[in-house]
């Protein structure tokens, strides 16, 4: 109902056919659910399945492979081959590509499933009237026409039209929607304004906003996408994301590799022109076709056809690990961008702190007989769980706090002068609040104080179930004191009062801002004996001193509590009753820092990542909280490191640049300042991660390189972000950065593994052609090696654990190439050895093997002339399957050893042993098992032109393969030391990837 704001209450109720005293009936709920849909934001439009499939083939390397498969099939037909032989090679190629496409489709689908998991975090609860009864339901079950009751602290679950005021006023904080800092007073009157904006619709409660004062009932008029939040979210989704640095670098790498491969293939074909006329081929044309097939097989061998799938798989594995860390990744490729992060702009509330207000200090008057004697108590426990103890000023735990008069009355007042709820959520395994955080903190305090008169009370409370324990003491006081009248909190009075009846006695309990309560107090309750003493100037001065200490030095949020005995039979309260109060005590509460934040901050500094705390708090409070976090102990003071948004904007351009480089805290910010900060940092070539939770944070989240939304935030913020923190915890960001770096490292590792292995295959074929010896590997054998060695082990490398020093290195530059000069040199060295070892195995069988012909090397080089001259051996030995089997097995085994080299880029196998990645060990075992199958099962041996090997041949294979580990250990040693840096510079001209972008999204 779009024009509900312009209609009367009765018109809106009639439109939905609902009685305001009974709510919807069950059949109406079902009917409205079908008619209007559920109260969930719609899923983002999914890519059609056929588009996902075709997308997997939109890659230059993949297109070359498809062309190679077609050429291979055509050449087989030209040669007159039929049946399995003709289709084997192209079929294997297409099978590999189909498998890669399947992995890509599955992982992209999984990324969309992560969004479905994300929707669980946007669900809230609502107090709903149905069938004449109120009940608490998930907000997702609301339908238009539902009657919902809201009160102080309630988060509005859907767009609703006010129908009844239950208090004198209702005020709502709409900053999350409009950015206006002041709350909006709501009423029941229809709006006559034309083109009304949100602030004009004073009778509408908007989804996601928060009630800050009062209580009311409203009827739901819009759910899901048909809300103000839904429309803003839709507009945010129209923004297209740019390709991430890794995607661009891999595309460039693919183009570069394709050109190199094309050149090598042509070169191999040209080098073998002299062999076209060999009698074994039956003519020059057939010889040319034969070597063209070799060149095609070489292209297949050289192209890492599994690269796109393995990259996607590695990113998907990373997202699953991040999900276990409470970081839900929305954009799969953005995972690796975390590894580039140089600055984290973090919210304070809920991210660096728990966002759970808890009472930490209590101040009461102990006695005034010998002058004012103030007693302070400490309170342990920093969450909403009713778990904690009361300690005196010497740190001794109070065994029975409720036996002290002031603490007892503080517990009473906390439980009764309160409109919040505390409940246990068995699904999440924690205690949750309904209402204002400060009021819930008072309820928790009442639970910690306990009840009087029972020596076994502390242990008895511990025997209750979590559900009963949540509010046991609060319920006790609510049963003892019947609420008669409530005087709501107002901004002018800054206090709230409740009139209660207890054993034919009327008592008014008050809570509010200390300056408001204390000014109305004429008496003081003493904690020593429960006596009441008149308030005087000396006592007021002592209270002011303690208040300044709590609120100033310790930056606690303070509330004062008081009571007053009222005339018998009084049933209502007025503002005039709030005078001549008896002061009970002062409570100081805070949003405590998360315990893990300190170490997370230290990890950031070690990793070269700067943290800027961004908060709406005033400057002194923000600086105090940062001190408590312990994150800025390295700063002598905050001068030059802490600015308010206004102070920063007033700085000249040059000074702003300097300030950005030193800034650690930006306070008094509005959402627009966040985007300004992101842009300013990005102009200095920083890679920025920004946290946010509100609708107005969405532009900054979208603009940041990594937008991080809070799990408790709005769906709009989540939609604009790249990552969502399910636990709103800063330490999770740091863990995600470490995971992003590890993912990038693993990506480089399997690229290195694939390329070095493929270079080995190219070197093998090329060297054999240059030396003039027979083909070391048949095309089908090359395909098998590529399928086996580039499959499981390459994927398993994605499971590598993080290097121990992953958070000790400085952030990599976004422009840094995936394959640097030094790394490419290492590829060449390892690849060259792989290829030479493969050729060496082939030559060894002909010259040195006990079961071989033991030919002179010159005879092997002149194998093509064997039929035209007399020899001491039959020419058929050049068709023996043993030498190619040895070569093929050397290639497989050496690549298995090479897979172990890639457990880490620079760490030795002595530091990171093979069993650190059991998936890789398992993949090597499976790969070798599959290779054994084709060697020792006759039909498969015939298909792949191989033969069983003897133990002596296996021994030589191991001797030829193992040195690849020694060679790479030497190269790793150079990488860990300054020599590697010099090589890196020296081989910069061979850098495989161009470095175009200075910084990219």
């Amino acid at each position: 109902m779009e024009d509900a704001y312009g209609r009367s209450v009765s018109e809106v109720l009639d439109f939905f056919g609902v009685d305001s005293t009974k709510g919807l009936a069950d059949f109406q709920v079902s009917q409205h659910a079908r008619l209007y849909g559920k109260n969930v934001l719609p899923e983002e439009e999914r890519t059609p399945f056929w588009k996902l499939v075709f997308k997997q083939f939109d890659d230059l390397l993949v297109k070359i492979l498809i062309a190679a498969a077609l050429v291979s099939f055509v050449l087989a037909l030209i040669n007159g081959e039929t049946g399995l032989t003709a289709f084997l090679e192209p079929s294997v190629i297409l099978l590999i590509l189909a498998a890669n496409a399947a992995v890509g489709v599955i992982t992209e689908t999984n990324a969309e499933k992560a969004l479905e998991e994300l929707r669980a975090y946007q669900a809230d609860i609502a107090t709903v009237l149905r069938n004449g009864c109120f009940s608490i339901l998930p907000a997702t079950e609301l339908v238009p026409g539902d009657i919902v009751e809201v009160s102080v602290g309630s988060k509005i679950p859907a767009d609703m039209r006010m129908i009844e005021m239950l208090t004198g006023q209702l005020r709502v904080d709409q900053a999350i929607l409009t950015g206006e800092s002041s709350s909006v007073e709501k009423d029941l009157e229809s709006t006559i304004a034309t083109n009304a904006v949100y602030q004009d619709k004073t009778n509408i409660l908007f989804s996601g906003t928060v009630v800050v004062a009062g209580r009311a009932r409203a009827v739901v008029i819009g759910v899901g996408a048909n809300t103000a939040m839904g429309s803003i979210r839709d507009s945010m989704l129209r923004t297209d994301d740019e390709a991430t640095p890794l995607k661009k670098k891999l595309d460039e790498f693919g183009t570069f590799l394709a050109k190199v491969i094309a050149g090598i293939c042509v070169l191999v074909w040209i080098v073998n022109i002299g062999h076209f006329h060999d009698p074994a081929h039956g003519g020059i044309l057939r010889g040319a076709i034969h070597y063209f097939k070799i060149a095609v097989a070489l292209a297949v061998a050289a192209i890492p056809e599994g690269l796109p799938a393995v990259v996607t798989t590695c990113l998907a594995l990373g997202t699953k690990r991040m999900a276990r860390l409470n970081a839900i990744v929305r954009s799969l490729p953005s995972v690796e961008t975390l590894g580039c992060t140089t600055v984290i702009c973090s919210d304070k509330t809920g991210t660096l702190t728990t966002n759970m207000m808890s009472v930490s200090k209590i101040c009461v008057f102990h006695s005034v007989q010998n002058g004012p004697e103030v007693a302070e108590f400490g309170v342990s426990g920093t969450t909403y769980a009713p778990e904690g103890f009361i300690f005196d000023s010497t740190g001794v735990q109070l065994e029975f706090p409720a036996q002290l008069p002031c603490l007892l009355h503080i517990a009473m007042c906390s439980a009764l002068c309160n409109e919040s709820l505390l409940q246990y959520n068995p699904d999440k395994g924690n205690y949750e609040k309904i209402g204002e955080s400060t009021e819930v903190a008072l309820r928790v305090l009442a639970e910690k104080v306990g009840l009087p008169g029972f020596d076994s009370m502390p242990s008895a409370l511990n025997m209750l179930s979590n559900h009963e324990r949540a509010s046991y003491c609060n319920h006790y006081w609510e049963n003892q004191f019947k609420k008669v009248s409530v005087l709501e909190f107002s901004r002018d009075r800054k206090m709230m009062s409740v009139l209660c009846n207890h054993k034919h006695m009327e008592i008014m309990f008050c809570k509010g801002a200390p300056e408001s309560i204390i000014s109305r107090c004429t008496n003081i309750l003493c904690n020593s004996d429960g006596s009441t003493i008149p308030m005087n100037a000396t006592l007021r001065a002592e209270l002011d001193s303690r208040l300044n200490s709590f609120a100033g030095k310790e930056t606690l949020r303070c509330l004062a509590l008081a009571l007053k005995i009222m005339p018998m039979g009084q049933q209502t309260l007025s503002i005039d009753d709030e005078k001549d109060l008896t002061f009970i005590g002062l409570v100081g509460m805070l949003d405590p820092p998360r315990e893990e934040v300190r170490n997370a901050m230290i990890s950031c500094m070690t990793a070269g990542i700067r943290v800027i705390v961004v908060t709406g708090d005033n400057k002194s409070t923000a600086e105090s909280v940062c001190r408590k976090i312990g994150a800025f102990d390295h700063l002598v003071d905050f001068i030059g490191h802490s600015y308010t948004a206004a102070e920063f904007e007033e700085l000249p351009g040059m000074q702003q640049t300097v300030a950005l480089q030193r800034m650690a805290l930006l306070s008094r910010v509005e959402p627009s300042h966040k985007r300004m900060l992101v842009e300013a940092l990005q102009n200095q070539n920083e890679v920025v991660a920004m946290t946010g939770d509100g609708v107005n944070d969405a532009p900054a989240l979208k603009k940041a390189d990594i937008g991080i939304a809070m799990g408790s935030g709005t769906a709009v913020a989540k939609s604009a972000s790249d990552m969502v923190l399910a636990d709103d915890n800063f330490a999770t960001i740091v863990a995600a950065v470490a995971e992003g770096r590890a993912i990038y490292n693993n990506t480089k590792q399997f690229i290195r593994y694939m390329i070095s292995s493929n270079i080995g295959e190219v070197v093998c074929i090329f060297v054999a052609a240059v030396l003039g010896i027979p083909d070391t590997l048949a095309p089908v054998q090359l395909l098998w090696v590529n399928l086996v060695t580039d499959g499981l082990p390459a994927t398993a490398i994605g499971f590598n654990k993080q290097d121990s020093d992953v958070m000790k290195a400085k952030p990599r530059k976004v422009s840094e190439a995936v394959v640097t000069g030094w790394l490419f040199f290492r590829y060449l060295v390892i690849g060259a050895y792989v290829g030479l070892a493969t050729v060496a195995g082939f030559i060894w069988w002909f010259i040195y093997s006990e079961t071989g012909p033991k030919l002179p090397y010159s005879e092997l080089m002149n194998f093509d002339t064997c039929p035209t001259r007399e020899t001491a051996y039959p020419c058929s030995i050049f068709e023996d399957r043993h030498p190619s089997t040895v070569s093929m097995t050397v290639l497989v085994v050496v690549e298995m050893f090479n897979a172990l080299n890639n457990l880490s880029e620079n760490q030795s196998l002595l530091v990171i042993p093979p069993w650190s990645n059991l998936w890789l060990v398992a993949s090597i075992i499976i790969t070798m098992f599959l290779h054994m199958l084709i060697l020792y099962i006759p039909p498969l041996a015939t298909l792949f032109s191989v033969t069983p090997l003897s133990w002596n041949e296996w021994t030589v294979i191991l001797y030829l393969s193992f040195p690849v580990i020694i060679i790479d250990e030497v190269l790793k040693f150079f990488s860990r030391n300054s020599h590697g840096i010099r090589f890196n510079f020296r081989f910069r001209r061979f850098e495989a990837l161009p470095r175009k972008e200075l910084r990219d999204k």
Side-chain angles (χ1 to χ4, degrees), residues 813-877:
K813 295 180 179 178
V814 179
S815 56
E816 178 184 303
V818 176
V819 183
T820 60
W822 168 245
L823 203 56
F824 190 62
F825 173 74
R826 286 173 63 178
Y827 290 174
L828 291 176
V829 172
I830 296 297
Y833 181 79
V834 170
L836 293 175
T838 304
V839 173
F842 185 86
I843 295 173
W844 169 84
W845 188 86
F846 278 105
I847 299 177
Y848 300 107
S849 175
E850 294 296 330
T851 57
K854 294 189 176 181
L855 297 178
Y857 181 68
S858 58
E859 288 293 321
L860 184 61
M861 289 184 63
N862 295 307
F863 78 97
D864 51 337
T865 60
C866 180
T868 62
R869 55 191 175 86
E870 292 186 8
T871 59
Y873 54 87
C875 294
S876 59
I877 64 167

Side-chain angles (χ1 to χ4, degrees), residues 573-763:
L573 284 179
S574 68
I575 296 176
D576 293 335
D577 292 320
E578 294 177 327
K579 60 184 180 181
D580 299 328
L581 307 178
T582 298
F583 177 81
I584 304 174
L586 192 67
V587 296
M589 56 186 73
L590 78 163
D591 180 6
R594 294 180 182 270
E595 294 178 359
E596 59 273 31
V597 165
R598 182 186 179 91
N599 289 335
M601 288 276 196
I602 293 172
S603 295
C604 282
M605 287 186 280
T606 306
I609 300 172
R610 191 154 55 95
V611 178
I612 300 177
V613 178
V614 183
T615 177
D617 279 348
N618 64 59
K619 191 174 183 179
S620 60
T621 302
E623 289 178 358
S624 175
V625 172
C626 287
R627 286 289 188 207
K628 288 180 181 177
I629 291 171
F632 302 108
D633 292 347
H634 62 289
L635 301 179
V636 177
D637 55 47
F638 276 100
I639 298 175
H641 301 280
S642 173
Y643 298 88
T644 65
E647 289 172 348
F648 179 76
E649 287 183 314
E650 290 172 1
L651 292 175
M654 186 60 68
Q655 291 185 31
Q656 276 193 355
T657 301
V658 175
L660 279 173
Q661 295 170 354
R662 304 183 62 203
M663 185 183 293
L665 174 64
L666 187 67
S667 53
R668 301 303 287 173
V669 300
E670 295 179 356
S672 59
H673 295 132
K674 287 190 173 183
R675 182 183 175 92
M676 174 269 293
L677 179 61
V678 171
E679 290 178 342
L681 288 168
Q682 288 178 339
N683 288 336
Q684 294 190 358
N685 299 325
E686 303 281 7
V687 179
V688 185
M690 168 65 78
T691 67
D693 54 9
V695 174
N696 279 1
D697 290 330
L701 295 175
K702 201 77 173 176
K703 179 66 178 173
D705 298 278
I706 293 289
I708 303 172
M710 301 296 108
S712 60
T714 63
V716 180
K718 293 170 186 174
S719 297
S721 66
D722 301 294
M723 188 172 79
V724 177
L725 301 184
D727 58 359
D728 296 6
N729 194 341
F730 178 82
T732 303
I733 301 176
V734 179
V737 169
E739 190 63 47
R741 290 186 174 192
I743 288 170
Y744 181 76
N745 289 343
N746 288 347
T747 302
K748 283 209 301 185
Q749 286 308 101
F750 64 69
I751 290 176
R752 175 177 167 230
Y753 168 68
M754 283 180 155
I755 301 303
S756 59
S757 297
N758 290 3
I759 287 175
E761 295 166 17
V762 172
V763 169

Side-chain angles (χ1 to χ4, degrees), residues 342-384:
T342 59
V343 177
I344 298 175
C345 297
S346 174
D347 276 341
K348 176 182 70 66
T349 304
T351 307
L352 300 177
T353 62
T354 63
N355 198 22
M356 296 184 187
M357 294 296 289
S358 61
V359 175
S360 63
K361 284 286 187 71
I362 300 173
C363 175
V364 299
F365 277 99
H366 182 68
S367 173
V368 293
Q369 292 177 353
N370 301 317
E373 184 182 344
V374 176
E376 286 191 7
F377 299 94
V379 185
S380 66
T382 58
T383 67
Y384 292 140

